[in-house]
Amino acid sequence: MGADEENLRAIEPGIVTDFTDRMTYASYLDLDTLLGAQHPVSVPEHHDELLFIIAHQTSELWLKLTLHELEAAKTALAQDDIAVALKCIARVKHIQKSLTEQWSVLATLTPTEYSEFRGSLGNASGFQSHQYRAVEFILGNKNAGMLAVFESDPAAHALLSRLLDEPSLYDEFWRHLHRTGLAVPTSALERDVRTAYTMNPDLVPLIKDVYEHPHQNWAAYESFEELVDLEENFQLWRFRHMRTVLRTIGTKPGTGGSSGVGFLRRALDLTFFPELFAVRTEVGR
């Protein structure tokens, strides 16, 4: 028996090989649709445009799963099932790591390579990602003015309109803690959920007390840290986004009309759960 024959791995007898009337890996995942969804628009087609398309399509798939998990976490909080909510948030944290690391692949696109097909994108921009905007809405960074961007996309507009009207994940969290018996101030329970969440100083004393006496309310204590992780991961993603754009196009304006890096840099000042960070100055005083 030759070396090639020795190294040949035999197909195990139980492995299915006849898929005449069976579901296959490709059919279950609808790979024909998925792998056929990349349509470069540069003429002649530029080699690196496929990287650009796949990087963004992959991000959208992860964002779809992120929304799926955050919606489930919000529902669980409304049902006072904190364990399920935290499990969903834990999964989102792992998704965020994958999204952040993905920027390293896109960062291999040099300024010269990108410039050769950037003009073909027209006004298409990540700014127009309705799923990214939906994630921000569900986490509390709401802006009714953003709906105008999606008026030409009824499904996206409907999703964002619904999330604008509904309590955010953070709103549902405080309502849950109120139902568990914590003295959550009325200002947190009755705020206008259609507006962007802003710092509520009334919450800081409660959060401080939980941090200083964690064993008296461990579920709230653990939840605070999970939410802090969620925001930190989001900020790391934003930072890598900004640095990748800076590395690729410098300070040029974005294709969608934004100021580019300047716009992304200002986004780093946004916060979803401000009291959970403000309390760190107060704990131990």
XYZ file of all heavy atoms in Angstrom, residues 126-191:
527
model
N -22.706 52.577 5.542
C -23.119 51.856 6.736
C -24.053 52.672 7.610
O -24.783 52.114 8.442
N -24.055 53.978 7.438
C -24.972 54.856 8.157
C -26.419 54.440 7.902
O -27.303 54.669 8.725
C -24.746 56.303 7.714
C -25.629 57.316 8.384
C -25.311 57.809 9.640
C -26.772 57.788 7.762
C -26.128 58.750 10.270
C -27.592 58.726 8.382
C -27.264 59.202 9.635
N -26.644 53.813 6.746
C -27.997 53.426 6.344
C -28.361 52.013 6.804
O -29.404 51.486 6.403
C -28.107 53.515 4.819
C -27.868 54.912 4.278
C -27.168 54.920 2.931
O -27.133 53.916 2.226
N -26.588 56.057 2.576
N -27.549 51.399 7.645
C -27.868 50.055 8.145
C -29.015 50.151 9.146
O -28.853 50.637 10.265
C -26.638 49.439 8.830
O -27.013 48.285 9.572
N -30.181 49.655 8.759
C -31.328 49.764 9.667
C -31.164 48.829 10.859
O -31.678 49.101 11.948
C -32.634 49.475 8.920
C -32.934 48.031 8.699
N -32.450 47.318 7.632
C -33.681 47.151 9.436
C -32.870 46.072 7.699
N -33.619 45.934 8.775
N -30.427 47.734 10.687
C -30.236 46.821 11.806
C -29.311 47.431 12.861
O -29.555 47.294 14.066
C -29.655 45.489 11.324
C -30.623 44.676 10.489
C -30.185 43.237 10.366
O -30.917 42.326 10.743
N -28.988 43.016 9.841
N -28.272 48.121 12.410
C -27.415 48.818 13.381
C -28.248 49.860 14.126
O -28.156 49.989 15.355
C -26.240 49.489 12.679
C -25.469 50.403 13.609
C -24.561 49.884 14.523
C -25.691 51.787 13.607
C -23.886 50.710 15.404
C -25.025 52.613 14.484
C -24.125 52.070 15.375
O -23.475 52.896 16.263
N -29.062 50.597 13.387
C -29.880 51.629 14.033
C -30.865 50.988 15.002
O -31.133 51.512 16.078
C -30.632 52.417 12.955
C -31.100 53.783 13.403
C -29.952 54.673 13.826
N -28.925 54.795 12.800
C -27.731 55.337 13.007
N -27.411 55.781 14.205
N -26.853 55.412 12.031
N -31.385 49.818 14.642
C -32.325 49.118 15.520
C -31.649 48.696 16.819
O -32.244 48.782 17.898
C -32.906 47.901 14.807
N -30.396 48.258 16.730
C -29.647 47.904 17.939
C -29.498 49.126 18.836
O -29.692 49.052 20.056
C -28.271 47.311 17.582
C -27.389 47.190 18.831
C -28.427 45.943 16.932
N -29.166 50.256 18.248
C -29.039 51.476 19.046
C -30.384 51.854 19.676
O -30.433 52.248 20.838
C -28.506 52.623 18.180
C -27.050 52.481 17.810
C -26.300 53.797 17.928
O -26.923 54.854 17.746
O -25.082 53.746 18.206
N -31.466 51.734 18.915
C -32.781 52.064 19.453
C -33.135 51.160 20.633
O -33.624 51.627 21.661
C -33.854 51.915 18.356
C -34.055 53.142 17.501
C -33.015 54.023 17.244
C -35.290 53.411 16.924
C -33.193 55.142 16.439
C -35.489 54.529 16.133
C -34.441 55.390 15.888
N -32.912 49.861 20.486
C -33.310 48.928 21.538
C -32.451 49.112 22.788
O -32.889 48.809 23.905
C -33.254 47.471 21.029
C -34.162 46.575 21.875
C -31.844 46.921 21.036
C -34.354 45.179 21.299
N -31.254 49.670 22.615
C -30.397 49.947 23.766
C -30.639 51.339 24.343
O -30.060 51.685 25.368
C -28.922 49.781 23.385
C -28.484 48.335 23.091
C -27.008 48.305 22.678
C -28.717 47.422 24.287
N -31.480 52.134 23.691
C -31.874 53.414 24.274
C -31.440 54.656 23.527
O -31.891 55.760 23.841
N -30.555 54.512 22.533
C -30.112 55.687 21.778
C -31.075 55.922 20.612
O -30.798 55.599 19.470
C -28.683 55.490 21.263
C -28.148 56.735 20.577
O -28.615 57.849 20.836
N -27.191 56.559 19.699
N -32.228 56.493 20.954
C -33.292 56.679 19.967
C -33.244 58.081 19.364
O -32.896 59.052 20.028
C -34.658 56.449 20.616
C -34.840 55.050 21.184
C -36.245 54.860 21.751
C -36.438 53.471 22.317
N -37.823 53.242 22.779
N -33.630 58.141 18.079
C -33.677 59.422 17.382
C -34.763 59.317 16.315
O -34.568 58.684 15.274
C -32.325 59.737 16.745
C -32.309 61.082 16.026
O -33.352 61.707 15.832
N -31.133 61.523 15.633
N -35.923 59.915 16.583
C -37.046 59.831 15.648
C -36.685 60.385 14.282
O -37.218 59.932 13.263
C -38.247 60.585 16.220
N -35.753 61.323 14.247
C -35.340 61.910 12.975
C -34.691 60.912 12.040
O -34.696 61.098 10.810
N -34.148 59.820 12.594
C -33.489 58.812 11.771
C -34.474 58.049 10.899
O -34.088 57.446 9.898
C -32.730 57.824 12.654
C -31.423 58.335 13.213
S -30.240 58.777 11.912
C -30.151 57.257 10.984
N -35.758 58.065 11.255
C -36.743 57.321 10.472
C -36.819 57.823 9.032
O -37.153 57.057 8.121
C -38.117 57.417 11.128
C -38.272 56.723 12.487
C -39.676 56.913 13.015
C -37.937 55.244 12.384
N -36.498 59.090 8.826
C -36.561 59.650 7.470
C -35.601 58.943 6.523
O -35.869 58.842 5.319
C -36.250 61.146 7.516
N -34.497 58.449 7.060
C -33.499 57.757 6.230
C -34.084 56.479 5.632
O -33.661 56.022 4.568
C -32.243 57.427 7.068
C -31.220 56.647 6.253
C -31.626 58.705 7.631
N -35.103 55.907 6.301
C -35.618 54.594 5.903
C -37.037 54.652 5.345
O -37.708 53.623 5.259
C -35.559 53.646 7.112
C -34.171 53.538 7.691
C -33.808 54.287 8.806
C -33.223 52.729 7.099
C -32.527 54.205 9.330
C -31.940 52.634 7.608
C -31.586 53.380 8.725
N -37.470 55.834 4.934
C -38.824 55.956 4.386
C -39.005 55.154 3.107
O -40.118 54.740 2.777
C -39.157 57.430 4.158
C -39.451 58.183 5.454
C -39.826 59.631 5.212
O -39.679 60.081 4.050
O -40.256 60.305 6.157
N -37.918 54.923 2.377
C -38.024 54.159 1.128
C -37.985 52.652 1.372
O -38.088 51.870 0.425
C -36.885 54.549 0.178
O -35.615 54.255 0.757
N -37.837 52.233 2.621
C -37.766 50.812 2.980
C -38.844 50.549 4.037
O -38.601 50.699 5.235
C -36.382 50.479 3.528
C -36.189 49.000 3.824
O -37.199 48.281 3.969
O -35.032 48.553 3.929
N -40.043 50.151 3.611
C -41.166 49.989 4.559
C -40.871 49.051 5.721
O -41.275 49.327 6.855
C -42.294 49.449 3.667
C -41.966 49.936 2.297
C -40.461 49.908 2.213
N -40.211 47.943 5.459
C -39.945 46.973 6.531
C -39.006 47.561 7.574
O -39.225 47.429 8.787
C -39.360 45.691 5.956
N -37.953 48.213 7.114
C -36.996 48.828 8.036
C -37.664 49.953 8.818
O -37.456 50.102 10.031
C -35.788 49.359 7.261
N -38.460 50.755 8.134
C -39.155 51.867 8.777
C -40.112 51.349 9.854
O -40.194 51.922 10.958
C -39.923 52.676 7.727
C -40.433 53.991 8.208
N -41.627 54.120 8.892
C -39.898 55.244 8.143
C -41.825 55.385 9.198
N -40.791 56.099 8.759
N -40.805 50.247 9.551
C -41.752 49.683 10.514
C -41.026 49.154 11.750
O -41.491 49.339 12.887
C -42.556 48.563 9.856
N -39.894 48.489 11.546
C -39.119 47.969 12.673
C -38.653 49.094 13.580
O -38.822 49.040 14.811
C -37.913 47.179 12.164
C -36.892 46.744 13.229
C -37.520 45.780 14.232
C -35.665 46.118 12.571
N -38.094 50.136 12.981
C -37.573 51.243 13.787
C -38.703 52.020 14.460
O -38.545 52.489 15.595
C -36.719 52.166 12.916
C -35.403 51.546 12.443
C -34.724 52.426 11.406
C -34.467 51.300 13.627
N -39.821 52.152 13.787
C -40.972 52.833 14.393
C -41.456 52.071 15.621
O -41.777 52.667 16.657
C -42.110 52.958 13.381
O -41.744 53.786 12.303
N -41.492 50.747 15.501
C -41.915 49.932 16.645
C -40.946 50.084 17.815
O -41.365 50.283 18.965
C -42.012 48.457 16.238
C -42.305 47.521 17.415
C -42.526 46.095 16.977
N -41.357 45.458 16.411
C -40.364 44.935 17.141
N -40.382 45.021 18.467
N -39.345 44.344 16.551
N -39.656 49.999 17.534
C -38.656 50.100 18.601
C -38.627 51.494 19.216
O -38.325 51.653 20.399
C -37.271 49.725 18.069
C -37.096 48.252 17.685
C -35.723 48.024 17.071
C -37.306 47.340 18.887
N -38.951 52.503 18.401
C -39.027 53.863 18.923
C -40.147 53.977 19.954
O -39.990 54.613 21.000
C -39.262 54.847 17.776
C -39.351 56.331 18.159
C -37.997 56.858 18.616
C -39.865 57.156 16.980
N -41.269 53.324 19.691
C -42.438 53.417 20.563
C -42.334 52.535 21.807
O -42.985 52.806 22.816
C -43.706 53.027 19.794
C -44.080 54.044 18.728
O -43.665 55.213 18.854
O -44.776 53.662 17.766
N -41.530 51.480 21.725
C -41.437 50.534 22.830
C -40.382 50.947 23.851
O -39.440 51.681 23.522
C -41.072 49.143 22.290
C -42.150 48.491 21.466
C -41.713 47.132 20.928
O -40.523 46.771 21.113
O -42.554 46.443 20.330
N -40.508 50.475 25.081
C -39.441 50.699 26.063
C -38.147 50.054 25.574
O -38.161 49.027 24.893
C -39.953 49.984 27.322
C -41.427 49.834 27.110
C -41.644 49.712 25.638
N -37.027 50.655 25.899
C -35.739 50.065 25.550
C -35.412 48.926 26.513
O -36.122 48.701 27.502
C -34.634 51.134 25.636
O -34.428 51.490 26.999
N -34.350 48.225 26.236
C -33.886 47.175 27.142
C -33.649 47.743 28.539
O -34.021 47.136 29.547
C -32.584 46.576 26.597
C -31.934 45.482 27.449
C -32.650 44.159 27.249
C -30.453 45.333 27.087
N -33.052 48.929 28.601
C -32.734 49.565 29.876
C -34.005 49.977 30.610
O -34.102 49.840 31.831
C -31.845 50.774 29.599
C -30.989 51.252 30.761
C -30.342 50.359 31.625
C -30.778 52.617 30.965
C -29.531 50.811 32.648
C -29.968 53.081 31.985
C -29.350 52.170 32.827
O -28.535 52.631 33.843
N -34.995 50.482 29.871
C -36.280 50.826 30.489
C -36.923 49.588 31.118
O -37.409 49.633 32.263
C -37.245 51.400 29.439
C -36.831 52.767 28.933
O -36.348 53.585 29.739
O -36.991 53.014 27.717
N -36.910 48.488 30.365
C -37.486 47.251 30.885
C -36.700 46.736 32.086
O -37.280 46.149 33.012
C -37.530 46.171 29.800
C -38.539 46.416 28.700
C -39.988 46.237 29.151
O -40.253 46.091 30.371
O -40.874 46.260 28.272
N -35.421 46.966 32.105
C -34.588 46.533 33.222
C -34.999 47.238 34.512
O -35.170 46.595 35.558
C -33.112 46.820 32.896
C -32.170 46.517 34.015
C -31.981 45.215 34.462
C -31.470 47.544 34.644
C -31.103 44.936 35.511
C -30.598 47.269 35.676
C -30.411 45.967 36.117
N -35.190 48.552 34.447
C -35.573 49.290 35.660
C -36.987 48.924 36.104
O -37.270 48.849 37.308
C -35.440 50.788 35.436
C -34.005 51.206 35.339
C -33.362 51.756 34.267
C -33.008 51.045 36.363
N -32.035 51.944 34.553
C -31.791 51.525 35.830
C -33.022 50.551 37.661
C -30.604 51.528 36.552
C -31.839 50.546 38.396
C -30.660 51.026 37.835
N -37.857 48.666 35.157
C -39.209 48.231 35.521
C -39.164 46.874 36.219
O -39.905 46.628 37.182
C -40.090 48.169 34.267
C -40.332 49.544 33.629
C -41.155 49.431 32.355
N -41.311 50.732 31.709
C -42.113 50.982 30.685
N -42.859 49.990 30.186
N -42.189 52.185 30.146
N -38.302 46.004 35.719
C -38.128 44.693 36.362
C -37.620 44.851 37.794
O -38.163 44.232 38.727
C -37.153 43.837 35.547
C -36.548 42.714 36.323
N -37.263 41.600 36.714
C -35.279 42.550 36.820
C -36.475 40.798 37.405
N -35.281 41.344 37.487
N -36.599 45.682 37.989
C -36.055 45.863 39.341
C -37.096 46.463 40.281
O -37.148 46.120 41.470
C -34.801 46.742 39.304
C -33.550 46.123 38.675
C -32.348 47.036 38.891
C -33.261 44.733 39.242
N -37.924 47.341 39.738
C -39.014 47.910 40.544
C -39.956 46.806 41.029
O -40.356 46.777 42.196
C -39.780 48.942 39.713
C -41.065 49.403 40.336
N -41.113 50.170 41.485
C -42.367 49.182 39.964
C -42.376 50.416 41.791
N -43.151 49.831 40.897
N -40.283 45.872 40.147
C -41.202 44.786 40.513
C -40.573 43.801 41.498
O -41.291 43.089 42.205
C -41.678 44.049 39.255
C -42.616 44.882 38.385
C -43.259 44.044 37.295
N -42.295 43.510 36.340
C -41.897 44.131 35.235
N -42.392 45.336 34.934
N -41.042 43.572 34.415
N -39.238 43.779 41.550
C -38.581 42.889 42.525
C -38.521 43.518 43.909
O -38.106 42.863 44.866
C -37.147 42.535 42.080
O -36.321 43.719 42.097
C -37.133 41.917 40.694
N -38.916 44.789 44.003
C -38.955 45.432 45.309
C -37.930 46.513 45.533
O -37.942 47.166 46.590
N -37.046 46.765 44.578
C -36.072 47.846 44.731
C -36.765 49.193 44.545
O -37.718 49.316 43.765
C -34.931 47.699 43.727
C -33.951 46.557 43.982
C -32.839 46.559 42.945
C -33.349 46.642 45.382
N -36.250 50.191 45.245
C -36.874 51.521 45.229
C -36.426 52.309 44.005
O -35.688 53.301 44.094
C -36.519 52.270 46.507
N -36.889 51.878 42.837
C -36.548 52.565 41.591
C -37.357 53.857 41.517
O -38.585 53.823 41.654
C -36.854 51.667 40.380
C -36.552 52.406 39.072
C -36.056 50.363 40.467
N -36.708 54.996 41.322
C -37.436 56.277 41.313
C -38.458 56.362 40.181
O -38.273 55.778 39.112
C -36.331 57.319 41.144
C -35.160 56.577 40.605
C -35.252 55.190 41.131
N -39.524 57.091 40.444
C -40.599 57.253 39.467
C -40.089 57.845 38.158
O -40.574 57.507 37.083
C -41.700 58.159 40.054
O -42.182 57.576 41.269
C -42.855 58.311 39.074
N -39.097 58.716 38.253
C -38.557 59.359 37.045
C -38.008 58.338 36.053
O -37.995 58.581 34.842
C -37.456 60.355 37.421
O -36.426 59.713 38.154
N -37.555 57.189 36.546
C -37.040 56.141 35.660
C -38.154 55.272 35.103
O -38.019 54.699 34.023
C -36.031 55.274 36.411
N -39.257 55.199 35.834
C -40.351 54.316 35.433
C -41.337 54.989 34.488
O -42.029 54.304 33.733
C -41.104 53.825 36.674
C -40.278 53.057 37.708
C -41.118 52.792 38.951
C -39.754 51.750 37.120
N -41.393 56.313 34.527
C -42.411 57.020 33.764
C -41.834 57.933 32.690
O -42.539 58.785 32.160
C -43.293 57.840 34.719
C -44.054 56.974 35.719
C -44.933 57.798 36.654
O -44.884 59.056 36.564
O -45.663 57.191 37.460
N -40.590 57.742 32.340
C -39.983 58.610 31.330
C -40.589 58.337 29.945
O -41.174 57.276 29.695
C -38.466 58.419 31.297
C -37.998 57.193 30.554
C -36.479 57.129 30.407
N -36.142 56.264 29.271
C -35.973 56.695 28.037
N -36.085 57.984 27.761
N -35.677 55.864 27.048
